[in-house]
Amino acid sequence: MQQEDIWNTEAAQDYDTPGTGMFAPEVLGPTVDRLAELAGTGAALEFAVGTGRVAVPLAARGVPVTGIELSRPMVERLRTKADETTIPVIIGDMATTTAPGAYTLVYLVFNTISNLLTQAEQVACFRNAARHLAPGGRFVVELWVPELRRLPPGQKATVWRSEPGYIGLDTYDVLNQRIVSHHFRFGDTGQARLARSPHRYVWPAELDLMGRLAGLELETRHADWSGTEFTAESGSHVSVYRVPPVTDGADRA
């Protein structure tokens, strides 16, 4: 499965769920608040900007936002909400594509770094973020914590959500740190519609090493956008990496 095939016209049409799910005010509000705080008076770059779930309200807060996005159908959906002047978008992948200018904030939300299926690509993503950052700038990653403790011994799959009309399960390849998420949606006819997406899961400590390889240092890690403490029981995290301050010659000596 290629990312271009997954994020097709049908996926773009189904992606937006105004007022519910990841578009719910209690989810989106704290995300935009925190990103606006981190951007300050500077500009922001969103990797995998998608349909503008975060970029549109962040731009409405007065933060200049540029996006990088691989899927043209997702960008077409974004264009129904904001024009090229309001949110410029460069078509390409987040590991290698560059945008003009320097930014105080680069951000990557809702587990999207896991769409890069190799460690090398994920490291390249960190390095791509670092090359866009102004001195003191920050790279923010929102990601789930791998749920291997829920995987029964000898089993390769877990059901992570079951509700009326929907079942979500993940199949694991623990040797290669890969999962495939399977989304089963049931209508009134009894017919099921299946969508699948591959991911490479990443441990927080592995992310920190990727940051160091890119010349970034971990500044903060919380369990959510509201600043809840990150613990061993947290199911996800928001990690903020920063370009370290430049020291003078005396400090280096």
Side-chain angles (χ1 to χ4, degrees):
M1 290 178 285
Q2 300 296 317
Q3 294 299 327
E4 297 93 328
D5 299 327
I6 295 169
W7 302 107
N8 55 23
T9 300
E10 182 180 1
Q13 291 173 344
D14 293 343
Y15 190 79
D16 291 357
T17 56
T20 63
M22 60 183 171
F23 286 81
E26 64 270 20
V27 175
L28 190 52
T31 304
V32 175
D33 288 345
R34 179 63 172 145
L35 291 174
E37 176 188 0
L38 291 170
T41 59
L45 174 63
E46 180 172 356
F47 285 175
V49 68
T51 68
R53 179 183 73 96
V54 174
V56 170
L58 186 60
R61 293 279 292 269
V63 177
V65 181
T66 297
I68 291 175
E69 175 56 52
L70 184 65
S71 167
R72 291 182 184 275
M74 298 289 274
V75 176
E76 290 171 4
R77 182 78 175 178
L78 167 59
R79 286 290 164 251
T80 67
K81 310 171 190 177
D83 60 24
E84 180 68 23
T85 302
T86 304
I87 302 178
V89 176
I90 296 91
I91 300 295
D93 73 274
M94 56 190 166
T96 61
T97 302
T98 57
Y103 300 85
T104 60
L105 176 68
V106 178
Y107 64 94
L108 184 54
V109 298
F110 215 76
N111 305 322
T112 310
I113 195 171
S114 70
N115 290 345
L116 299 171
L117 299 181
T118 68
Q119 186 183 72
E121 289 176 309
Q122 291 170 346
V123 170
C125 181
F126 266 81
R127 287 176 168 155
N128 197 27
R131 71 170 57 100
H132 285 93
L133 289 172
R138 295 176 172 91
F139 179 39
V140 181
V141 179
E142 178 188 18
L143 187 62
W144 93 97
V145 177
E147 298 181 315
L148 268 66
R149 288 188 298 177
R150 296 178 56 187
L151 190 65
Q155 300 298 311
K156 296 183 178 180
T158 62
V159 175
W160 50 272
R161 184 181 300 170
S162 178
E163 58 190 36
Y166 178 80
I167 294 175
L169 64 88
D170 289 335
T171 54
Y172 284 79
D173 173 1
V174 295
L175 181 63
N176 296 298
Q177 286 185 216
R178 297 277 188 91
I179 69 167
V180 176
S181 293
H182 306 257
H183 308 273
F184 296 91
R185 293 179 173 85
F186 302 86
D188 296 335
T189 64
Q191 297 291 324
R193 184 160 59 107
L194 170 64
R196 293 180 298 169
S197 59
H199 304 270
R200 181 183 186 271
Y201 59 83
V202 195
W203 301 99
E206 186 181 5
L207 275 186
D208 296 348
L209 182 55
M210 292 179 186
R212 294 185 65 180
L213 291 172
L216 304 174
E217 60 185 18
L218 180 67
E219 183 176 54
T220 62
R221 171 170 290 133
H222 293 100
D224 55 32
W225 292 100
S226 298
T228 302
E229 181 185 4
F230 180 75
T231 71
E233 303 305 315
S234 298
S236 62
H237 60 94
V238 175
S239 297
V240 179
Y241 298 89
R242 189 171 188 179
V243 178
V246 176
T247 57
D248 58 28
D251 290 336
R252 289 195 298 271

